[in-house]
Amino acid sequence: ACSPAFDWRTVANSDNGYTIDLPAKPGNDQRTVQIDGTPMQMAMQTAEAGDAVFAVGTVMLPNDDETTQRAVLEFLRTGLAHNVGAAPVTHAVQIPLAAGGQVLGLEMKVSGEAGSQHESRTVYARLAARGRHVYQAAIITSKPLQQEQIDQFFSSFHLY
């Protein structure tokens, strides 16, 4: 059922509190982002397969205040859409918890042009906040992706 470009493996990230299936061995990166004037650490796990990049970003919050969570969710939502010059339209989605239950999250799909070459890109993303973390699970692709690949990625995304 999987094409050779997709070598799915479950990645458990205990430090940041999630598990997800990625289509290749992930790389890791971390950087500081400025959100509403506050520097916050963002950890990224990324894997490339075919013409797509699959990524999970985790922003570590200074507190678990709902106002802070909302500000970071909005920063990520608008940032993803801005990257392709699109309006950030989202709808509610339930993000499962590994121990059972779920948290309310946002889901979005935006398409547009990215980069200096104005290449066509589609971004699929789910965003959620839990405690002192805000999560961004995203697929950025230049060509249409099979729905089963999208489903594999998002249905495997569970928070601790």
Side-chain angles (χ1 to χ4, degrees), residues 81-86 111-122:
H82 176 77
N83 287 343
V84 295
S111 295
E113 294 180 346
S116 59
Q117 303 295 316
H118 302 289
E119 299 160 320
S120 176
R121 293 283 186 273
T122 299

Side-chain angles (χ1 to χ4, degrees), residues 17 69 73 91-98 100-107 126-131 133-135 157-160:
Q69 291 175 341
L73 285 167
H91 64 271
V93 65
Q94 296 293 329
I95 308 291
L97 299 174
Q102 45 204 347
V103 295
L104 188 62
L106 301 172
E107 183 174 74
R126 286 193 178 174
L127 309 171
R130 181 158 169 82
H133 294 93
V134 171
Y135 301 92
F157 184 47
H158 291 77
L159 304 179
Y160 295 167

Side-chain angles (χ1 to χ4, degrees), residues 34-67:
Q34 291 284 334
I35 302 174
D36 284 350
T38 303
M40 298 182 201
Q41 286 298 306
M42 183 172 190
M44 295 287 296
Q45 282 196 297
T46 59
E48 293 184 39
D51 298 299
V53 175
F54 295 74
V56 180
T58 308
V59 178
M60 280 59 89
L61 308 180
N63 56 57
D64 62 359
D65 185 74
E66 195 177 316
T67 304

